[in-house]
Amino acid sequence: MKSLCGDGFIVLVETSGALDIAPVDPRVHRIMDLKCPSSGEVGRNRWENLQQLKGTDEIKFVIGTQEDYDWAKDQIAKHRLEALCPLLFSWVSPLQPHQQDKSLKRIPVGQTPISRQELVEKIIADALPVRFQLQMHKFIWPADQRGV
């Protein structure tokens, strides 16, 4: 990353946010996930990374349930995330039955799936300071294609 930045390239790295981003060259644009409840990965969020973010970085929330939305909204308010960097909400589409491998995490019992339209309408109604992001690969390739 350092060499690419040194050669004048714009470098972006996407990270789950579970590892320390402090060693990443400060010229790199970091897109860091904050894992939502339905992912089963909330406990892996490295909150110390928030202190490392700058205005050219982004925080992404992948939203699949109403509980994810409520949690993300709470985190934005609690940590004043809109003051750190741009915020992204990306909707996760449900898997087709033949895509549901045993290794993939299911929506936790008691959580309510949210549709793409419902998510967008909630963002607008709540005037959240976020950009809605589409998973483009799901529009380019068939949704039921393995690995997409």
Side-chain angles (χ1 to χ4, degrees):
M1 290 183 277
K2 186 176 278 191
S3 294
L4 289 169
C5 289
D7 288 343
F9 288 94
I10 296 172
V11 179
L12 294 89
V13 65
E14 292 205 30
T15 173
S16 71
L19 300 174
D20 185 5
I21 63 171
V24 175
D25 188 294
R27 298 171 291 179
V28 171
H29 300 259
R30 297 164 293 193
I31 301 102
M32 186 187 81
D33 282 10
L34 280 178
K35 297 296 186 182
C36 294
S38 73
S39 72
E41 301 288 323
V42 171
R44 297 191 65 211
N45 286 326
R46 185 178 170 88
W47 296 101
E48 299 88 349
N49 281 337
L50 295 179
Q51 300 165 23
Q52 303 296 322
L53 295 173
K54 55 193 185 317
T56 55
D57 296 325
E58 298 175 345
I59 297 172
K60 180 174 68 172
F61 296 89
V62 179
I63 310 287
T65 66
Q66 177 64 48
E67 291 75 14
D68 289 346
Y69 179 81
D70 294 338
W71 182 85
K73 185 176 162 184
D74 288 345
Q75 299 315 306
I76 291 168
K78 178 180 177 181
H79 299 283
R80 299 190 59 239
L81 297 178
E82 75 281 357
L84 297 177
C85 61
L87 306 175
L88 307 171
F89 272 21
S90 183
W91 178 74
V92 61
S93 57
L95 297 174
Q96 301 297 317
H98 68 281
Q99 293 174 303
Q100 295 180 356
D101 187 86
K102 290 178 184 175
S103 66
L104 298 174
K105 294 181 177 151
R106 306 266 186 245
I107 291 177
V109 175
Q111 292 201 21
T112 308
I114 189 171
S115 73
R116 182 174 35 215
Q117 182 176 341
E118 289 170 326
L119 175 56
V120 171
E121 289 172 352
K122 286 179 181 296
I123 291 169
I124 293 167
D126 291 338
L128 289 185
V130 303
R131 282 192 339 242
F132 178 72
Q133 181 185 46
L134 298 174
Q135 294 177 318
M136 284 193 212
H137 59 285
K138 304 241 173 135
F139 290 91
I140 297 169
W141 293 280
D144 63 348
Q145 183 172 329
R146 184 169 173 77
V148 174

